[in-house]
Structure formats: C-alpha cells, structure tokens
Amino acid sequence: AAAAGAWLWRAATTNVEAPPTSAADPAPPPTSAAAAADLDANLARAVSQGDAGAARRLLAAGASASGSAPNGWPLLAVVAQKGSAGVAAALLEHGADADAVYSGFTPLLLSAAAGHLQVVRPLLAHAASTS
C-alpha cells in the first residue's frame, strides 16, 4: 500500500496518469480500502501544500473532499487557514461541506479571520452560511 501511495502522490504532483491496460480499457480507479486511504492521505498532503493541480487529480481519482487532515481538521478548514482558492474550489466542486464546523469555526469564518478573501469568494459561491 505504501508503494501505491507513493505512486499516487507522484502521479498527482507530476501530472502523470496511470497507463491504461489497453486503449479501449482504461485502468479502473482504485477500489480497495487501502487505495482509498492512500488517495485521501495524498489529498490531505496536497491540501496542506496548497497544490490545486494535485488536489484536482486526486479528487478525480476518487479521494474524498470531505476528508480530514492528520490533525483532524476538515480539509476545507485547512484550506481556509492556508488561503488556497484553487484548492478550496476543487474541494467544493467535489462535494466538500462549505459549512463544516470544527472547534466552533466554519471555513468561512476561518478564511475571513485569516484575511483570505480569495477563499471567502468560492465559499460564498457554494452557499456557505454567513450566520
């Protein structure tokens, strides 16, 4: 599983795609629990690094936009703190909860308090609650 996780991370960060088994039969997305966990761990890393391209590729491969960072924070809350509008948009487009509360704070409140208006905009566009 560790080797698969490393390959997924390299693929996500270098824009390399898995080779299809044939031109008519593209490789299926990972279906095992270990592969899903690798995708989610690599997405958490991409979110932490503010890498929107890698985040989009991992989400397209099946990573969960509703996952959590290793510290337990929802991924969208991490993005709100770090200020990556591209990662925020990718997570929201793949179903992240714009109103996910962690320790009493929503991503909208976290991004506004940190001065990350570039993250506030996609949150509001995805109907984040202002109350």
Side-chain angles (χ1 to χ4, degrees):
W7 182 89
L8 287 169
W9 177 248
R10 281 193 310 278
T13 58
T14 60
N15 202 19
V16 173
E17 295 185 22
T21 54
S22 75
D25 183 26
T31 56
S32 73
D38 284 343
L39 283 172
D40 291 345
N42 287 327
L43 177 60
R45 186 182 330 172
V47 166
S48 175
Q49 294 175 351
D51 189 338
R56 286 190 184 283
R57 287 187 292 279
L58 289 160
L59 288 161
S64 173
S66 300
S68 297
N71 65 1
W73 280 51
L75 294 177
L76 200 51
V78 174
V79 171
Q81 283 285 327
K82 293 193 173 275
S84 174
V87 176
L91 290 171
L92 290 162
E93 290 164 9
H94 284 86
D97 181 2
D99 292 320
V101 177
Y102 187 76
S103 293
F105 300 101
T106 64
L108 182 61
L109 181 59
L110 290 168
S111 59
H116 297 306
L117 295 179
Q118 70 276 15
V119 177
V120 169
R121 289 182 188 103
L123 285 166
L124 291 174
H126 283 82
S129 175
T130 57
S131 57

